[in-house]
Amino acid sequence: MVIPVHDVNPARRTPYVTYALIAANFVVFLFTPGIAGSVAGQSDLPQLCHLQAFLEHYAAVPRELIHDQLPRLVPSGAVGVGPHGPGCVVGPPEYHKSPPASVFTAMFLHGSWLHLLGNMLFLLIFGNNIEDRLGHIRFALFYVACGYAAAYGFAYLNDTSGDPLIGASGAIAGVLGAYLVLYPRVRVWILMPFLLFLPLRLPAWAVLGFWFVLQALYSSGAGVSKAGTVAYAAHVVGFLVGMVLAWPLRRGTPPPPEPRRVQWGRQARPGW
């Protein structure tokens, strides 16, 4: 789709919360049980069983969020042999799972390096300016609120689904929605894969508007063969919630800096 590289919108203060979120996501990913095999592309059955048990415990599940229907049997992480061969052992859960709390933990879980790096790239480029505009504490609350809205919005639309919902993309979509409202004219450098990674500098309203349109199309199943593997509807909900929350701040937001022109000769070397 679109790969952002840099936005021409310097922040006034260090985005500590953005950096902390990125670091936390990387740490959780590296310490997720069973993820090492999936990174190398060679997951064996014990690793898959550990990962399945971990996600069952900490991932958000739409059916649990909407109907509070917790499963009576869950993967234990162990491997056993049944009538159909080896598989993951299931049994009564040895823990108490809180569906609302699982939304928070799910925001720090990712299934692959591509999933993680893509989310963190968008957060790094667009999150610093939203944190700069909101302040550290309000940005942290904003991020979590968008993540919860995205998860529950997706769960409401898929209330019978028992598939785990993981990833920070719902919260980050809220950041993108806020950016579109507050900084629509900021220039963003992007790479277009379908144009042989040609670098382009476009206004944020074009980049983020195109991204949102694609998410809306994908959420309806258009243009993708397996729409259910990615929670596109969560992206749409998070984006819209981010726009609504940022709307009251748009008038007090300072305009973006003017793009610097290329200077030649003595103009580029004042004092010579």
Side-chain angles (χ1 to χ4, degrees), residues 43 55 84 88 100-101 103-104 154 156 170 177 193 210 219 242 251-252:
S43 299
L55 294 180
H84 302 287
C88 299
V103 175
F104 182 80
F154 178 83
Y156 179 79
F210 177 66
S219 67
R251 289 191 176 182

Side-chain angles (χ1 to χ4, degrees), residues 65-81:
L65 296 179
I66 302 302
H67 303 293
D68 198 24
Q69 295 178 353
L70 298 177
R72 292 180 297 176
L73 299 176
V74 297
S76 65
V79 177
V81 179

Side-chain angles (χ1 to χ4, degrees), residues 33 46 61 112 122 147 235 244 269:
V61 178
S112 67
F122 275 83
H235 303 172
V244 171
R269 300 185 299 274

Side-chain angles (χ1 to χ4, degrees), residues 10 33 46 195 271:
L195 294 178

Side-chain angles (χ1 to χ4, degrees), residues 1 18 47 78 121 225 228 248 269:
M1 300 188 306
T18 299
Q47 289 176 325
L121 177 63
S225 59
R269 300 185 299 274

Side-chain angles (χ1 to χ4, degrees), residues 230-254:
V230 178
Y232 293 111
H235 303 172
V236 173
V237 173
F239 191 93
L240 294 176
V241 170
M243 290 184 65
V244 171
L245 293 178
W247 194 263
L249 302 175
R250 69 191 190 283
R251 289 191 176 182
T253 302

Side-chain angles (χ1 to χ4, degrees), residues 141-224:
L141 296 175
F142 168 86
Y143 182 90
V144 173
C146 290
Y148 267 83
Y152 272 96
F154 178 83
Y156 179 79
L157 298 173
N158 302 270
D159 63 320
T160 60
S161 174
D163 296 329
L165 179 65
I166 61 174
S169 52
I172 296 172
V175 172
L176 303 185
Y179 200 101
L180 178 61
V181 169
L182 300 178
Y183 305 105
R185 293 180 295 173
V186 165
R187 297 289 173 169
V188 180
W189 283 99
I190 63 170
L191 299 177
M192 305 291 286
F194 61 87
L195 294 178
L196 301 178
F197 294 94
L198 177 69
L200 299 174
R201 191 176 74 171
L202 300 175
W205 65 263
V207 175
L208 300 180
F210 177 66
W211 181 90
F212 176 76
V213 170
L214 284 179
Q215 305 308 302
L217 290 175
Y218 292 162
S219 67
S220 66
V224 290

